[in-house]
Amino acid sequence: MYSIQAIQQILQAKSPNLQLYEAQIEHLLLDSRQIIFAERSLFFAIKGTHNDGHQFLSAAYQAGVRSFVVTKVPELSQFPDANFLLVENVVQALQQLAAHHRQQFPLQVIGITGSNGKTTVKEWLFQLLYPHYSIIRSPRSFNSQIGVPLSVWGIQVQHEIGIFEAGISRKGEMGNLANIIHPQIGIFTMLGEAHNEGFASKAEKLQEKLLLFAEVDLLVYRRDEATIHRAIKALGRKTLAWSLGQHPDADLYVFKTETFLNHTHLEGRYQGHEQRIALPFTDLASIENAIHCWAVLLHLGLKSEEIAERMAQLEPVAMRMELLDGRNNCLIINDTYNADLSSLRLGLQWMRQHEHGRNRSLVLSEILQSGSSDEKLYRKVAQLIQEHQISRVIGIGPATAVFASLLPPEINQMHFDTTEALLEALPQLSFQSEVILIKGARQYHLETIAQALSRQVHQARLEVNLSALAHNLRAYQRCLKPGVKTMVMIKATAYGAGSREVARLLEYLRVDYCCVAYADEGTELRQAGISAPIMVLNPEAGAFEQMRLHRLEPVVYSLEQLNNLSQEALPHGVHLSIDSGMHRLGFDLHEMDGLLDYLRTHPELSVKSVYTHLAASEDPAHDAFTHEQARRFNQAYARITAVLGYHPLQHALNSNGITRFPQYQQDMVRLGIGLYGIDVSNSLPEPLQVVLSFKATISQIKTVAAGETIGYGRRAQAHSLMRTGTISVGYADGLRRAAGNGAFSVGVRGKRASILGSVCMDMSMIDLTHIPEAQTGDTVEIFGHDPSVQELAKILATIPYEVFTGISQRVKRVYLQE
């Protein structure tokens, strides 16, 4: 905890206050929507591409925050008893404060960077080391210019080891992070293709990443890639290099790798002694990540027998929170891969984002190896519980019994010594209209509680990665000119993703407008608590009263509609659609005189925006036509504003047009398919992330003799002994029949398995002959990362839009937050 005067000195900040008011700072705050401990928080007013933290000073002040770091000082009379620290760059000030904090502690710090595997290596090191050390680590993937200082700020006197990951996207960033983390041990995982667009070359990216290790005492890396080996040797630091059978001179030489059905045996040599471990994984990426950890443990001096025992118990890293539909109108947040104060705080924040009138319940296991005494630790947990207004707490593990004395009696409390005891008691517990955060250390296997409370539906599922969707929104917003607003398409249940949860996230990210196809879709969003303006593209003639009641703004595209409006009260305004050449909906140019006459005689009509739709913004072959559409639209807009006497929002661009035609960004753009990870024009300067992943499970595995046939119509035949799998997805779920008969292959354990014979209504059969490790219950990826939705769409002779919106509503939507 620092006094505000001490922080002023650390930052060398100016202050407009004649004298700073007394304040003790414990929490760093970047978002006015996530204020918990207001009096002990310091708000950093960070200016981003489309949001400026200075706009939210009043909101933070009203919530109780009294200390701020700013680049421009507001009118002080509106902020009595507030402290303002004036700096040149708020992000740099945040980093400077974190770097100072890091230097106050003598703990040993491990810094991790690389293109892939950072979070897995970090979490596995924690699993392997926590019985020996008090550890602090980055929460989730907090590895950015802002995430790293927030992670390091959590260091306390009891911590013996810190494990922090550092990620960069452009030149000039790693030096900042190195100064904050200041590691003694470095781990370089690999050099891949991620963020190539931010660097002139792969060599430049490598040199930038290696800046993290400029002062390490030891650097762990894989010896086998010559370019990386030469660059690391040039650093002149002490290294621990490992090799998978290529370089016997490596410090840790892994000379034998045997992969079995679901585990891998490794044998290696370190300092003249042979070492053996077994891993519960078979894929190469997991093996490489585990060897990085193995090397660190050997360096730290752990005994070979203990290392082998712990490596065999490594568990997969579930780096994402899941949002699941529960029984009795409950929402389940499954966040069961770890439990510490930082991740608990994040989980509680996400709960507040999704509760929308529901009561809040918390299922929490013991927090293991925090380094704090139980009383001190759980007193902080109790503060978080009360600040987040949790109505029910269910503790699991002996230490959680302390809540009885720390929480007020109005909070419903229950305690169970084991997960099994809670599972047995669940039928007697009443959960109704609650959002339930399930948070636990891996040892407690609380995923069984999440499964028991979630609504049991069809085994096929559509995973919606909300973090990827947020990334894609920011990727497009970074291409916008200052002041350009963003409208997002939520029609067709958000392209199949689920309109309520997608809209809640996008409103939280402060988009300017939502857009739906029909009034019923807009009404559903209002009932889900969405307050952002909503445009309705196809307002039915009888829905105007519904739109008025729910503050929906209809699109008007004909004189007939306008005449109908005279009978309706629409105080929330309308949007005028101009047909500039798409010839779908909109006022034709020859109708402009009639439109203008109506606007002259009905000045009470509020026009919110005027827009058009480009027919082929993604296709360079039609650029001349696109420019002609823009010319026609601009001409029509000028005539409309001359009559109105004011300038409604003007917008023409969809996802594909944002980067290809920046000169037509105007007042607002409309984001649709690009939000969901599809860049048809391939014109974005950074890659989009996969948002939707369609998955099923293997229900049964069969051995089919040569000559036997498979499926309806006997369209597939085994020409030799064949191993087949029946998967829980069919054409009623959205996997169309055209994908059958070997036309398409799905993903199983990192390999592709072709669909055998006809796709059935509720299931399909796949060829597992070449994947002997596949087992009943394994996940099957229909589309997502591999294979992609574009690949499936091509096989089906359609487009990703149709594939996304064709996923049946009986398929469970699972929302993920990284």
Side-chain angles (χ1 to χ4, degrees):
M1 192 175 296
Y2 292 78
S3 70
I4 191 68
Q5 291 84 357
I7 292 176
Q8 182 187 22
Q9 277 197 327
I10 294 167
L11 300 183
Q12 293 295 292
K14 299 176 182 178
S15 175
N17 301 86
L18 295 176
Q19 184 175 356
L20 291 172
Y21 299 96
E22 281 299 321
Q24 294 294 316
I25 302 302
E26 187 175 0
H27 305 284
L28 306 184
L29 180 65
L30 309 181
D31 193 327
S32 61
R33 298 162 299 186
Q34 297 179 354
I35 297 170
I36 303 301
F37 304 109
E39 292 182 358
R40 300 197 300 277
S41 292
L42 178 61
F43 182 88
F44 286 79
I46 293 175
K47 188 178 187 306
T49 307
H50 281 269
N51 284 316
D52 185 345
H54 295 81
Q55 297 173 345
F56 307 105
L57 295 177
S58 293
Y61 181 84
Q62 292 301 320
V65 178
R66 292 295 180 267
S67 299
F68 304 87
V69 177
V70 298
T71 56
K72 49 189 177 185
V73 179
E75 176 55 53
L76 292 181
S77 62
Q78 299 177 17
F79 298 87
D81 71 349
N83 296 311
F84 288 96
L85 302 182
L86 184 63
V87 299
E88 291 185 5
N89 184 299
V90 174
V91 173
Q92 289 178 7
L94 172 67
Q95 295 172 342
Q96 187 177 346
L97 180 58
H100 173 87
H101 182 71
R102 157 71 181 94
Q103 293 303 317
Q104 307 313 302
F105 300 92
L107 79 169
Q108 183 158 241
V109 171
I110 301 171
I112 309 171
T113 195
S115 299
N116 298 101
K118 298 184 292 295
T119 302
T120 298
V121 171
K122 176 198 68 183
E123 292 298 328
W124 279 353
L125 280 174
F126 175 79
Q127 288 184 31
L128 294 162
L129 291 173
Y130 85 79
H132 298 278
Y133 302 95
S134 172
I135 299 173
I136 181 172
R137 67 199 192 280
S138 309
R140 302 194 177 277
S141 298
F142 272 40
N143 58 33
S144 67
Q145 297 292 296
I146 292 174
V148 167
L150 294 179
S151 301
V152 168
W153 182 254
I155 297 174
Q156 296 183 28
V157 66
Q158 71 269 15
H159 292 131
E160 300 168 293
I161 286 183
I163 312 173
F164 302 108
E165 51 179 300
I168 55 171
S169 57
R170 57 184 57 87
K171 188 174 172 60
E173 291 185 337
M174 188 59 87
N176 302 329
L177 303 186
N179 188 47
I180 300 167
I181 298 173
H182 203 74
Q184 295 99 349
I185 297 176
I187 300 176
F188 187 85
T189 58
M190 65 167 296
L191 186 66
E193 303 301 319
H195 301 297
N196 277 351
E197 67 281 355
F199 302 91
S201 65
K202 206 168 182 179
E204 182 180 81
K205 182 168 73 169
L206 173 60
Q207 289 302 320
E208 180 73 15
K209 286 182 177 292
L210 293 182
L211 291 177
L212 179 63
F213 310 123
E215 298 182 15
V216 296
D217 300 326
L218 181 78
L219 175 53
V220 176
Y221 72 102
R222 181 174 178 174
R223 166 78 173 81
D224 298 338
E225 190 169 336
T227 302
I228 295 174
H229 175 65
R230 286 194 299 269
I232 287 178
K233 281 300 181 184
L235 289 177
R237 316 307 300 178
K238 182 180 177 183
T239 60
L240 196 169
W242 61 267
S243 174
L244 267 174
Q246 296 184 30
H247 296 277
D249 60 333
D251 300 285
L252 172 58
Y253 175 54
V254 182
F255 56 80
K256 188 174 182 180
T257 304
E258 287 186 298
T259 300
F260 299 92
L261 189 63
N262 54 13
H263 64 283
T264 303
H265 287 176
L266 302 178
E267 294 185 29
R269 188 177 299 109
Y270 177 72
Q271 294 183 347
H273 300 284
E274 290 195 358
Q275 312 281 337
R276 294 178 179 83
I277 62 170
L279 303 173
F281 310 101
T282 58
D283 62 290
L284 182 59
S286 294
I287 292 170
E288 291 186 4
N289 290 334
I291 296 176
H292 280 101
C293 299
W294 189 11
V296 172
L297 267 58
L298 288 168
H299 167 72
L300 292 176
L302 272 70
K303 294 180 180 179
S304 300
E305 299 79 8
E306 187 171 9
I307 292 175
E309 180 183 352
R310 295 204 159 272
M311 297 292 278
Q313 297 172 5
L314 281 176
E315 299 194 30
V317 177
M319 292 174 284
R320 303 176 292 189
M321 289 185 278
E322 288 185 334
L323 186 65
L324 307 169
D325 280 331
R327 297 188 176 95
N328 302 321
N329 193 35
C330 289
L331 277 179
I332 312 299
I333 299 178
N334 179 17
D335 190 17
T336 56
Y337 86 99
N338 70 8
D340 56 34
L341 274 177
S342 296
S343 62
L344 174 60
R345 187 177 291 110
L346 290 175
L348 289 170
Q349 288 171 356
W350 207 46
M351 170 190 272
R352 292 178 72 181
Q353 185 178 328
H354 291 278
E355 53 96 6
H356 292 280
R358 294 179 173 91
N359 289 327
R360 304 170 190 170
S361 296
L362 172 65
V363 178
L364 179 69
S365 81
E366 289 182 312
I367 298 177
L368 304 175
Q369 294 297 322
S370 69
S372 298
S373 66
D374 281 352
E375 182 180 356
K376 183 178 179 181
L377 169 67
Y378 288 105
R379 193 171 297 280
K380 291 182 178 180
V381 174
Q383 282 182 312
L384 283 172
I385 289 171
Q386 292 177 75
E387 290 285 345
H388 283 274
Q389 300 177 337
I390 304 300
S391 56
R392 168 160 43 180
V393 176
I394 300 175
I396 304 176
T400 62
V402 72
F403 284 137
S405 61
L406 296 176
L407 294 174
E410 59 265 24
I411 297 179
N412 184 358
Q413 298 178 50
M414 300 179 186
H415 169 78
F416 298 89
D417 282 337
T418 65
T419 304
E420 292 72 22
L422 173 56
L423 272 173
E424 188 175 335
L426 276 182
Q428 285 74 51
L429 302 181
S430 174
F431 292 94
Q432 185 77 41
S433 296
E434 300 172 47
V435 56
I436 307 167
L437 172 62
I438 303 176
K439 193 84 183 74
R442 288 293 300 168
Q443 295 89 322
Y444 281 90
H445 298 286
L446 292 191
E447 63 272 13
T448 57
I449 305 298
Q451 291 165 5
L453 290 176
S454 62
R455 188 163 55 90
Q456 301 304 308
V457 293
H458 188 45
Q459 283 187 310
R461 66 190 186 276
L462 184 68
E463 293 183 354
V464 183
N465 188 324
L466 297 178
S467 297
L469 192 144
H471 165 88
N472 295 343
L473 172 66
R474 289 190 290 265
Y476 279 102
Q477 287 181 328
R478 281 191 281 268
C479 297
L480 299 181
K481 297 174 183 178
V484 176
K485 298 180 182 296
T486 307
M487 176 182 282
V488 292
M489 299 293 111
I490 314 291
K491 60 180 182 176
T493 61
Y495 291 60
S499 55
R500 288 178 302 171
E501 297 307 329
V502 168
R504 283 168 180 163
L505 172 68
L506 293 172
E507 183 175 56
Y508 184 79
L509 296 173
R510 297 192 173 103
V511 298
D512 300 286
Y513 253 94
C514 294
C515 180
V516 296
Y518 298 101
D520 286 346
E521 294 177 324
T523 299
E524 181 184 355
L525 294 185
R526 288 286 184 246
Q527 291 171 342
I530 303 303
S531 60
I534 298 175
M535 183 174 87
V536 181
L537 289 169
N538 303 304
E540 305 93 324
F544 287 126
E545 178 62 18
Q546 178 185 2
M547 288 186 283
R548 185 187 66 79
L549 289 172
H550 294 287
R551 296 175 290 109
L552 307 178
E553 301 171 10
V555 166
V556 178
Y557 48 80
S558 72
L559 290 171
E560 180 184 1
Q561 270 188 306
L562 277 177
N563 290 322
N564 289 335
L565 287 180
S566 63
Q567 307 300 318
E568 307 290 346
L570 287 171
H572 304 294
V574 301
H575 301 260
L576 300 180
S577 173
I578 306 300
D579 187 353
S580 61
M582 176 85 165
H583 298 317
R584 184 171 62 180
L585 287 177
F587 287 94
D588 290 327
L589 298 183
H590 64 78
E591 296 178 304
M592 288 300 297
D593 289 341
L595 170 61
L596 297 177
D597 287 343
Y598 185 94
L599 295 177
R600 286 190 189 98
T601 57
H602 293 80
E604 75 281 1
L605 184 67
S606 172
V607 178
K608 294 291 187 178
S609 83
V610 182
Y611 79 96
T612 194
H613 198 88
L614 302 178
S617 61
E618 77 283 359
D619 192 345
H622 298 291
D623 281 358
F625 183 74
T626 298
H627 289 300
E628 175 61 16
Q629 278 194 272
R631 186 193 67 79
R632 296 172 183 173
F633 174 56
N634 289 339
Q635 192 175 67
Y637 179 79
R639 295 184 66 189
I640 291 170
T641 56
V643 170
L644 290 175
Y646 58 90
H647 288 77
L649 295 172
Q650 181 184 17
H651 50 109
L653 296 182
N654 56 8
S655 300
N656 297 314
I658 288 172
T659 49
R660 297 204 65 242
F661 299 99
Q663 67 271 39
Y664 302 139
Q665 288 181 0
Q666 299 166 334
D667 300 313
M668 186 159 65
V669 297
R670 302 187 302 273
L671 264 175
I673 195 68
L675 274 176
Y676 305 95
I678 307 299
D679 180 15
V680 178
S681 64
N682 293 313
S683 58
L684 268 178
E686 57 183 302
L688 297 176
Q689 294 182 2
V690 172
V691 173
L692 302 177
S693 298
F694 189 20
K695 296 181 178 179
T697 57
I698 298 177
S699 302
Q700 188 177 20
I701 293 176
K702 291 179 176 290
T703 301
V704 179
E708 291 291 316
T709 58
I710 300 156
Y712 284 124
R714 305 183 67 197
R715 288 187 173 89
Q717 184 176 32
H719 298 293
S720 58
L721 190 66
M722 178 178 278
R723 190 168 183 257
T724 69
T726 301
I727 62 175
S728 58
V729 64
Y731 59 77
D733 304 299
L735 180 61
R736 285 168 41 183
R737 283 170 56 84
N741 299 306
F744 185 65
S745 298
V746 298
V748 179
R749 292 201 173 216
K751 300 176 182 177
R752 299 293 288 273
S754 63
I755 297 176
L756 295 169
S758 298
V759 174
C760 307
M761 180 182 289
D762 308 303
M763 58 196 77
S764 306
M765 284 70 75
I766 58 175
D767 185 359
L768 296 176
T769 306
H770 60 298
I771 314 177
E773 64 271 26
Q775 301 177 19
T776 300
D778 278 356
T779 294
V780 177
E781 187 159 48
I782 311 303
F783 66 73
H785 290 87
D786 184 25
S788 68
V789 68
Q790 292 94 327
E791 184 179 343
L792 177 56
K794 185 176 180 180
I795 293 296
L796 300 177
T798 186
I799 55 177
Y801 300 72
E802 185 176 359
V803 177
F804 285 159
T805 57
I807 304 301
S808 168
Q809 288 305 302
R810 79 174 185 179
V811 173
K812 176 171 61 176
R813 270 65 174 171
V814 176
Y815 298 92
L816 309 175
Q817 182 84 25
E818 295 182 349

